[in-house]
Amino acid sequence: MTSGQPVGIRPAVVATRPLTATQRALWTSQRLDPDAPLANMGDRFRIDGPLDPDQLIAAFAQVVAVSPALRTVIDADADGSPVARILARAPRTTELIDLPLDDLDDWSARRISTPIDATTCVYDSALLRHGDDRWTWWLDIHHVATDAATAALLFAATSEVYDGRAAGELIDTGGGLYDWADSVTGVSDPVEPTDQPTRTDGGRATPTEWSPYGRRGPRTTAVERIELPIDADVRRALDDRLADEYRSLSRELSLLALSITITAVLGHRFENRSSLTVGVPIHHRRTPDARRTVGPLMRLSPVTVEVDADATWREQFSDVLRSLLDVLRSASPDGEPGTDGRFDVVANVTTATYGRFAGLRTERRWMRSGHVEADHVVRHQLFDRADPDNPSIHQLDWELDLNTSLSADGTHRALPRHLARALAAAVADPDSHHRAV
């Protein structure tokens, strides 16, 4: 027998489960565009300090060992329907790669643009060594196994295990990380998959059209990320309004409702539309166990907004907030989507924070694949980060993913400017009529 690398043998399967409604929607989207990295959810953590690479690799391996979601692969049952198979052990380890720091951005762009093959492994983990005490931990996970809350949880859990190993203690993360299936009601008796909706555009369901800038271009998954231009005065005024006229149960919910409000108002202005359907991520992490669960508990739920042409900004915001709260109260993590997963707009507010890794200075960057579901023409991405030393101070970055098919001639690039103008009007005088924008 010759020496060398062992032959790769797929780990044994310890459980087989039907896909949840969220997983089925994600998997269907991926199958429609198999060459696009639609489901890649990547993070890049720059870590400066005396990091032990073997220790980090071992720490993440232990987290995977107690996280069934990360040991999941998507397979087909006897009838050809997709199912989740939970493997007995991790199908892949973390790569250790020597890479000059100057090459990090190019390396990252290539890596995030490669779709993760969830039939073999749902994660891509690599530790990049740039030189003495300079590191990057790359962690990209397929959306069928993760959501935004999971990403922060995995970072914290790996840091905790790393610290435990450094102290000569083996932390039992099994007591703190939970099986995602146990947190989803109905998994043991799932909703039967429905027939695929009628597809009239190259095999894809025809979505509701939102074309504020004229003729749509050819449908695509490619998006442009453009920042909403908000000047310093508007940012200060926005903080004041969120604490008063636009205040709700949380700052996160207030920002979400306000982003939906200004988008609906512009839809009314450009197309005289009386309603707009917005996809809102709902995380279903209301219990302590759910908040420590690794897995895809988030799902998009539709919020339908009715636009009142005679309403003030404050009144329209209140209407949107009521609709949003109704959806939040009734949303179920295993229910079927009410619009076949098709939305005019998706709005998301991210507040997850990432501290130091095992006491070492860490800078986190969310890696964008540059692709979304072709049915989503506009995505709001609001990153609201509280200062860890002063939680009352927030850094808000408001960005848009604009589907390049939103207009045939590129005029959709004016949308961020129009949204910024509407936002400025809404925060300048909440009691003014929004039709004046």
Side-chain angles (χ1 to χ4, degrees):
M1 185 174 187
T2 59
S3 61
Q5 291 293 327
V7 176
I9 299 176
R10 184 163 173 164
V13 174
V14 296
T16 298
R17 294 171 178 157
L19 300 186
T20 64
T22 295
Q23 288 178 313
R24 286 199 303 274
L26 292 165
W27 189 242
T28 298
S29 178
Q30 182 69 80
R31 285 188 301 159
L32 289 172
D33 293 287
D35 297 326
L38 299 177
N40 285 23
M41 296 189 68
D43 280 297
R44 194 176 80 183
F45 304 102
R46 283 278 295 111
I47 305 173
D48 292 330
L51 186 75
D52 183 332
D54 294 333
Q55 193 165 294
L56 184 147
I57 292 170
F60 181 64
Q62 186 177 341
V63 171
V64 174
V66 297
S67 303
L70 297 185
R71 303 196 317 278
T72 295
V73 293
I74 307 301
D75 203 352
D77 63 12
D79 296 328
S81 299
V83 293
R85 302 207 191 277
I86 315 301
L87 305 181
R89 59 180 174 81
R92 185 176 299 160
T93 188
T94 298
E95 292 183 78
L96 180 59
I97 301 172
D98 288 299
L99 182 78
L101 186 57
D102 290 343
D103 296 340
L104 178 59
D105 287 341
D106 288 342
W107 183 94
S108 300
R110 291 192 301 270
R111 196 85 166 195
I112 197 65
S113 65
T114 303
I116 292 177
D117 181 5
T119 65
T120 60
C121 185
V122 293
Y123 61 86
D124 174 27
S125 177
L127 183 59
L128 311 176
R129 179 166 46 200
H130 307 303
D132 293 341
D133 294 340
R134 294 193 298 176
W135 308 85
T136 296
W137 180 26
W138 173 271
L139 184 59
D140 187 11
I141 305 175
H142 196 286
H143 206 346
V144 295
T146 191
D147 55 21
T150 285
L153 182 59
L154 290 174
F155 175 86
T158 304
S159 176
E160 291 169 8
V161 176
Y162 180 100
D163 265 349
R165 287 180 178 274
E169 302 170 2
L170 191 64
I171 294 179
D172 178 15
T173 54
L177 301 180
Y178 295 90
D179 183 348
W180 61 270
D182 292 339
S183 297
V184 182
T185 59
V187 162
S188 59
D189 184 20
V191 178
E192 290 297 321
T194 57
D195 293 334
Q196 291 298 318
T198 302
R199 300 186 181 277
T200 60
D201 182 13
R204 180 178 299 284
T206 303
T208 304
E209 293 288 340
W210 191 56
S211 307
Y213 297 100
R215 183 171 63 87
R216 289 282 296 271
R219 195 170 304 284
T220 178
T221 65
V223 294
E224 298 178 48
R225 173 63 60 91
I226 302 178
E227 185 173 357
L228 207 67
I230 308 174
D231 65 33
D233 289 340
V234 173
R235 287 180 183 275
R236 285 191 290 270
L238 175 59
D239 283 337
D240 291 340
R241 300 302 186 192
L242 290 173
D244 192 359
E245 291 89 348
Y246 298 133
R247 183 176 182 178
S248 65
L249 299 177
S250 68
R251 178 184 167 94
E252 178 181 1
L253 188 60
S254 298
L255 281 169
L256 185 60
L258 188 58
S259 69
I260 295 172
T261 298
I262 66 171
T263 304
V265 166
L266 283 187
H268 179 78
R269 175 183 175 184
F270 282 116
E271 298 184 305
N272 198 31
R273 296 183 60 161
S274 60
S275 66
L276 187 75
T277 300
V278 180
V280 175
I282 298 178
H283 292 278
H284 299 291
R285 294 178 180 272
R286 298 169 184 169
T287 68
D289 285 2
R291 287 191 285 273
R292 289 285 293 176
T293 296
V294 171
L297 299 191
M298 181 279 294
R299 65 169 300 130
L300 286 176
S301 293
V303 176
T304 300
V305 177
E306 301 296 332
V307 180
D308 181 356
D310 295 322
T312 65
W313 285 107
R314 191 205 298 251
E315 291 167 342
Q316 189 66 65
F317 171 86
S318 296
D319 288 344
V320 169
L321 184 60
R322 278 193 293 270
S323 298
L324 187 55
L325 288 172
D326 286 343
V327 170
L328 289 173
R329 292 188 189 101
S330 62
S332 168
D334 61 339
E336 290 293 333
T339 59
D340 295 322
R342 293 171 290 166
F343 306 101
D344 298 290
V345 177
V346 174
N348 185 34
V349 178
T350 299
T351 59
T353 57
Y354 296 76
R356 292 173 174 258
F357 184 88
L360 301 177
R361 189 172 67 86
T362 306
E363 178 183 333
R364 178 246 185 180
R365 180 177 175 184
W366 177 40
M367 304 309 302
R368 308 173 181 98
S369 69
H371 291 263
V372 300
E373 289 85 347
D375 298 337
H376 299 167
V377 295
V378 179
R379 282 193 178 193
H380 288 263
Q381 301 283 3
L382 284 74
F383 303 93
D384 190 41
R385 306 176 181 88
D387 187 323
D389 298 324
N390 189 348
S392 65
I393 298 176
H394 289 256
Q395 170 63 44
L396 175 66
D397 295 314
W398 193 325
E399 300 174 345
L400 300 175
D401 284 329
L402 301 182
N403 195 304
T404 57
S405 66
L406 182 56
S407 67
D409 57 2
T411 51
H412 63 276
R413 296 189 182 93
L415 182 58
R417 186 173 68 253
H418 291 145
L419 286 169
R421 186 178 301 155
L423 176 65
V427 300
D429 185 0
D431 292 314
S432 63
H433 287 279
H434 63 65
R435 65 171 178 262
V437 67

